[in-house]
Amino acid sequence: MPDRWNSISALRADWVFPGNRPPVRNGVVAWQDSELIYVGPARGPFQPRDTGRAAILPGLVNPHTHLEFSHLATPFGQPGMSFPDWIMQIVQAQRASVESAEAECEAARLQETRQAGLAECLRAGVTCVGDIARQPWPAAGAAVEPEVTVFRELIGLADQRAEAAYQTAVAFLEQGTRHPTRRPGLSPHAPYTVSWELLQRCVALAKQAGVPVAMHLAESPEELELLASAAGPFVQRLEELAAWVPGTLPRGIRPRDYLELLAHAPRTLVIHGNFLLPDEWDVLAQHAETMSVVYCPGTHAYFGYGRYPVAEMLAAGVRLSLGTDSRASSPDLSLLAPMRWVARHHADVEPEQVLRLGTFDAARALGRDHLTGSLEPGKRADLAVVALPAADFSDPYEALWAEDTPVLTTFCRGREVLDPCRNLE
Ligand SMILES: [Zn+2]
């Protein structure tokens, strides 16, 4: 047998879900080094390891989280609280933590938390992540970890803070991420923390550097009230934090205005978009090649918002994907949980579309769909192996979504990251 067979790895499962074509019963996935070479029925020269009653999925892609909150056992505050109250609690906790620790300790603590978050992502079958980072990541990393787009968080309403945030962005892009599996992006945080001028400058900078932009937008009714009338609970909360600057946002501005500006970035992830209107979906649909919305069902439910218009936005041509958001407003970093939640609560969304929302479409949101997000020869061997229920289901998607079966193991660029609790062998 030629030597090259020694470097080929293969897995067999009852079902393989390539993501870009129908599921394959009794399927095999094979790869050499980090690259897929075969995805199809169990035949041919491969001697696959058998995963049994399991499904092999493309590695899941989580385009929105804040890994710096990965140490939280439960979300901040109480379910159903108002969003401005929640964000104020977060800011106060962050300020207290920074004041109580030396800068160096704080940086070390942040990084430990992020690494714990990445480990949780791998256990959840996630191999590609979009992370919002208050501080840059250090160069060090684990031997195998998900690819991370590090979106540097930028905050500044007042002129001086906005200028400092812009200089932070420039320095961050000049320095790069200093790690082979991390890439830079910018995150002007949200309309209530970023001046219009800072956002304009960030978009121009992203365009010049060719990096993606992620921005929280139309997340709460209070945000819309702030934009429409420069009044309401957000102004009160920002005043309490000494962070409100009257006149910093153009009066009567709408999320649509933000979308039209963000459309100039090379790639944009609109985070949440819970309260966007159909004419704003149209803007997103017109720019579907470069703009995506990331719906985070855990956070959406935490604040008690109504039904998210998944099917309606998809029908309008909006590129949608699913994210977990952080543990500050979501129970954990499992992406399968929100995928299953959508599959069970949105009967008007096709089950194969649900898989794409957490794989291919999420990879496309990050601009990584040429490398990952579906199982195709030539792409990376990023795989999630998920247990299937003992009961028989006539439809493989039903088997995948019906019960909360666990992720058994994850392969990241061809290398296995075993969960010691759930070793297959
Ligand atoms: Zn967020």
Side-chain angles (χ1 to χ4, degrees):
M1 190 170 278
D3 278 353
R4 70 187 191 95
W5 291 108
N6 295 332
S7 61
I8 290 176
S9 307
L11 286 182
R12 191 211 74 86
D14 283 5
W15 286 98
V16 170
F17 292 76
N20 61 336
R21 55 194 173 93
V24 180
R25 187 194 289 273
N26 187 22
V28 162
V29 177
W31 63 96
Q32 188 164 26
D33 301 322
S34 61
E35 189 179 306
L36 293 170
I37 57 170
Y38 177 81
V39 180
R43 61 167 183 248
F46 309 109
Q47 295 179 332
R49 182 171 127 201
D50 193 3
T51 67
R53 199 166 184 80
I56 302 174
L57 313 183
L60 306 181
V61 180
N62 184 359
H64 184 64
T65 183
H66 304 244
L67 291 174
E68 65 189 46
F69 294 114
S70 302
H71 60 295
L72 295 175
T74 54
F76 257 86
Q78 304 80 39
M81 74 189 296
S82 97
F83 182 78
D85 289 349
W86 177 85
I87 199 107
M88 186 158 98
Q89 283 195 18
I90 295 263
V91 173
Q92 284 170 333
Q94 283 174 340
R95 285 185 180 177
S97 147
V98 169
E99 280 161 16
S100 69
E102 295 289 331
E104 216 168 281
C105 287
E106 169 68 2
R109 189 196 62 75
L110 258 185
Q111 191 49 24
E112 210 173 286
T113 307
R114 287 169 177 156
Q115 291 297 151
L118 282 184
E120 184 180 349
C121 287
L122 285 170
R123 289 195 299 277
V126 172
T127 56
C128 187
V129 175
D131 180 49
I132 309 290
R134 256 190 313 148
Q135 300 289 336
W137 286 57
V144 184
E145 56 180 40
E147 180 189 86
V148 184
T149 302
V150 181
F151 291 97
R152 186 70 164 88
E153 184 175 87
L154 305 164
I155 287 181
L157 276 177
D159 285 350
Q160 223 175 352
R161 278 208 76 185
E163 178 59 28
Y166 181 74
Q167 294 307 331
T168 296
V170 171
F172 175 68
L173 294 180
E174 275 174 4
Q175 193 169 30
T177 54
R178 298 172 295 155
H179 192 277
T181 61
R182 298 181 196 145
R183 42 196 294 277
L186 297 179
S187 181
H189 173 252
Y192 51 88
T193 51
V194 171
S195 72
W196 183 251
E197 191 192 342
L198 174 58
L199 180 61
Q200 287 175 317
R201 297 178 80 193
C202 285
V203 169
L205 185 61
K207 192 173 177 181
Q208 189 189 329
V211 301
V213 170
M215 183 175 192
H216 301 80
L217 187 66
E219 180 171 6
S220 66
E222 293 90 346
E223 179 191 321
L224 297 196
E225 185 181 355
L226 174 77
L227 295 183
S229 60
F234 250 121
V235 172
Q236 284 171 310
R237 295 290 167 262
L238 289 165
E239 278 173 345
E240 286 164 35
L241 294 167
W244 174 241
V245 184
T248 190
L249 298 175
R251 184 64 71 97
I253 197 169
R254 287 186 51 196
R256 185 185 173 107
D257 300 302
Y258 283 88
L259 295 174
E260 285 171 351
L261 173 53
L262 289 164
H264 294 283
R267 187 162 294 282
T268 302
L269 292 86
V270 174
I271 311 301
H272 304 301
N274 299 335
F275 296 94
L276 292 173
L277 298 174
D279 74 304
E280 292 163 332
W281 301 345
D282 292 343
V283 177
L284 289 159
Q286 282 159 21
H287 298 278
E289 284 308 306
T290 57
M291 298 183 86
S292 293
V293 176
V294 185
Y295 164 38
C296 302
T299 299
H300 194 81
Y302 188 68
F303 293 108
Y305 299 144
R307 182 180 164 280
Y308 195 96
V310 178
E312 292 84 346
M313 288 172 80
L314 290 170
V318 176
R319 301 284 196 207
L320 198 61
S321 57
L322 293 175
T324 63
D325 210 343
S326 79
R327 275 175 166 264
S329 55
S330 207
D332 54 38
L333 300 179
S334 163
L335 193 62
L336 263 187
M339 289 165 80
R340 284 172 166 153
W341 193 91
V342 169
R344 294 169 195 171
H345 291 85
H346 291 260
D348 48 1
V349 179
E350 295 296 325
E352 57 267 33
Q353 177 72 56
V354 178
L355 179 63
R356 287 170 60 99
L357 293 177
T359 54
F360 187 80
D361 292 344
R364 188 163 52 186
L366 290 166
R368 308 307 276 168
D369 51 300
H370 57 299
L371 296 170
T372 193
S374 60
L375 301 179
E376 300 173 62
K379 279 193 170 185
R380 285 182 190 157
D382 289 341
L383 321 170
V385 182
V386 179
L388 290 176
D392 277 324
F393 287 87
S394 54
D395 180 84
Y397 284 104
E398 208 179 318
L400 191 59
W401 303 139
E403 294 181 21
D404 294 330
T405 51
V407 171
L408 296 172
T409 188
T410 304
F411 290 77
C412 203
R413 297 181 294 283
R415 292 179 67 181
E416 184 170 22
V417 192
L418 279 175
D419 180 340
C421 304
R422 302 201 192 105
N423 196 328
L424 283 172
E425 292 173 336

